[in-house]
Amino acid sequence: LRGLEKTGYRIAIRSGGGSQVKGLVVALTLLVLLVCTKGDSSYVASRESFRRPKSIPFPSSNRFTVEKYRLGRSLFFDKRLSLDNTMSCASCHNPEQGWGDGRARGRGFREQALTRRVPHLWNLAWGEKFFWDGRAESLEEQALGPIQNPSEMGLPLEMLMKRLASIPTYRSAFEKAFPGQGIRPATIGKALATFERTLLSPASPFDRWVDGDESALTGRQKRGFALFTGKANCVQCHSGWSFTNGSFADIGMPSTDKGRGLVLGDADADFSFKAPTLRNLKGRNFFLHDGSAGSIEELIENYDRGGNLHRRTATLWLRPLKLTSEEKKDLAQFIFSLSGELTKETP
């Protein structure tokens, strides 16, 4: 399936066990924090928890099939999924831009300015809640959101179903992927989610280092890894092979968007946003939910000073790191080691 075999991935089924998985993640994170306080020997002991998995998890409610994948891929690149046939999912999630759009903030239907940056689609198969504020409980639900949003693709789902049903190739493709179920929101969402779960960040120098190639990282990058898992405590939110635990946090950057707090109706969650993956950030110009940060170095400076100390929710866990200038460089270089070469994806 176009590149998956080259990466050595196979398809797996995921079902249940959410609390057990979360408990395991917490335990592994604590283990990493403990071993990384013991000097250079911690590299071999701690890096194993960041190893790339050998299979892609799919939920039991939407098992992988080649037919679903092909249908979802066709839908993803089809501009007929927007009201005026001018936008596809790929218009904002461009494979040549690492499944983003390269802008500080997104542009929607008829170039409407959006308030948040377009999130990249790397490694969504391991996610649990979606959008910057986590309002979608599944990738199937998330996939339908932008299509019907008046500010994004602007196409009501009733119109979408009629439009797809009028196209013979789609009628046939849906019957193959979902026998007897027809074209409806649930099958559209499942097809798109199946394709999106196959979007994997490319292997990087860090992955080669985890696999035992000591020359894959520089000394500065190895020191940055020790900082990442130790003194800087980045691993608190950016754990696991995709370098995100999917949590939501207020990191103390200036913002008027209350994010997760609006979804939950909870002031304690105000200004909290989903921790994004740190994979493939090299060469990117905009960061955070609103594109307000222009570099990794800027973000490191924010963490180093402890965020905006006047904001209550941020100060619950942020503390000044007191990193030296060399440590900041080491940390940035480590993060850049998580980037691999993009492969061309054509519709």
Side-chain angles (χ1 to χ4, degrees):
L1 287 176
R2 190 159 304 187
L4 285 181
E5 292 180 358
K6 293 182 180 179
T7 65
Y9 278 81
R10 63 179 185 273
I11 304 304
I13 303 300
R14 177 181 64 194
S15 62
S19 60
Q20 293 177 343
V21 172
K22 290 178 181 177
L24 179 60
V25 169
V26 171
L28 287 173
T29 300
L30 290 174
L31 177 62
V32 168
L33 291 175
L34 285 172
V35 300
C36 285
T37 61
K38 299 183 179 180
D40 289 347
S41 63
S42 68
Y43 292 147
V44 174
S46 61
R47 63 190 184 189
E48 179 65 28
S49 64
F50 295 92
R51 185 180 296 278
R52 293 173 70 92
K54 296 297 183 182
S55 62
I56 302 173
F58 282 77
S60 57
S61 59
N62 189 17
R63 296 172 182 268
F64 177 89
T65 68
V66 173
E67 292 76 18
K68 289 181 191 177
Y69 168 86
R70 290 174 175 165
L71 173 58
R73 190 173 183 279
S74 294
L75 291 168
F76 191 91
F77 287 96
D78 195 335
K79 293 184 177 180
R80 288 174 291 189
L81 267 65
S82 62
L83 183 62
D84 59 358
N85 301 301
T86 60
M87 293 185 69
S88 68
C89 302
S91 296
C92 293
H93 299 286
N94 184 341
E96 295 183 3
Q97 293 280 352
W99 304 100
D101 67 352
R103 293 169 165 170
R105 299 184 185 184
R107 290 276 177 174
F109 183 59
R110 294 175 180 168
E111 286 297 303
Q112 291 185 64
L114 305 179
T115 59
R116 295 175 181 172
R117 183 172 64 82
V118 171
H120 292 250
L121 302 185
W122 296 125
N123 313 321
L124 296 181
W126 288 265
E128 294 185 359
K129 297 184 186 301
F130 302 89
F131 293 115
W132 280 110
D133 55 18
R135 64 187 182 274
E137 294 290 330
S138 70
L139 191 53
E140 286 76 8
E141 178 186 348
Q142 183 280 327
L144 297 175
I147 296 173
Q148 57 189 315
N149 188 327
S151 298
E152 296 185 57
M153 298 167 76
L155 182 61
L157 293 184
E158 287 294 329
M159 291 183 63
L160 172 60
M161 289 186 289
K162 291 179 180 179
R163 184 176 294 182
L164 294 177
S166 70
I167 303 170
T169 54
Y170 270 130
R171 291 201 301 271
S172 174
F174 271 91
E175 182 57 31
K176 290 179 181 178
F178 303 99
Q181 297 183 49
I183 300 174
R184 52 195 182 93
T187 53
I188 296 169
K190 285 184 175 182
L192 284 167
T194 297
F195 170 69
E196 291 177 1
R197 286 192 174 98
T198 68
L199 304 180
L200 309 173
S201 58
S204 68
F206 174 77
D207 296 305
R208 295 196 298 273
W209 181 65
V210 168
D211 286 339
D213 181 359
E214 290 298 329
S215 66
L217 295 190
T218 66
R220 185 181 286 278
Q221 289 170 332
K222 292 176 183 178
R223 292 193 298 272
F225 175 71
L227 289 164
F228 187 93
T229 53
K231 179 179 178 180
N233 197 24
C234 309
V235 75
Q236 176 171 318
C237 295
H238 299 284
S239 59
W241 88 273
S242 194
F243 287 83
T244 174
N245 62 6
S247 64
F248 299 85
D250 173 8
I251 65 169
M253 293 292 282
S255 178
T256 58
D257 186 341
K258 292 188 176 182
R260 186 71 173 155
L262 293 176
V263 175
L264 299 179
D266 182 354
D268 286 338
D270 283 351
F271 310 111
S272 295
F273 293 90
K274 187 176 181 180
T277 178
L278 299 185
R279 291 277 183 174
N280 264 60
L281 299 186
K282 192 173 183 179
R284 196 180 300 178
N285 296 318
F286 303 103
F287 302 85
L288 300 182
H289 70 280
D290 57 358
S292 59
S295 68
I296 288 296
E297 290 81 1
E298 182 179 342
L299 288 176
I300 291 174
E301 290 292 344
N302 175 69
Y303 284 112
D304 188 54
R305 66 174 176 266
N308 288 323
L309 298 180
H310 65 276
R311 196 153 79 211
R312 180 180 62 84
T313 53
T315 57
L316 291 176
W317 65 278
L318 282 179
R319 296 291 184 274
L321 299 175
K322 300 180 180 179
L323 300 176
T324 68
S325 59
E326 286 302 303
E327 285 175 329
K328 293 173 186 177
K329 292 177 183 177
D330 292 345
L331 189 55
Q333 286 302 308
F334 166 68
I335 293 172
F336 293 144
S337 78
L338 305 178
S339 296
E341 294 295 324
L342 296 178
T343 56
K344 188 173 180 59
E345 174 84 19
T346 55

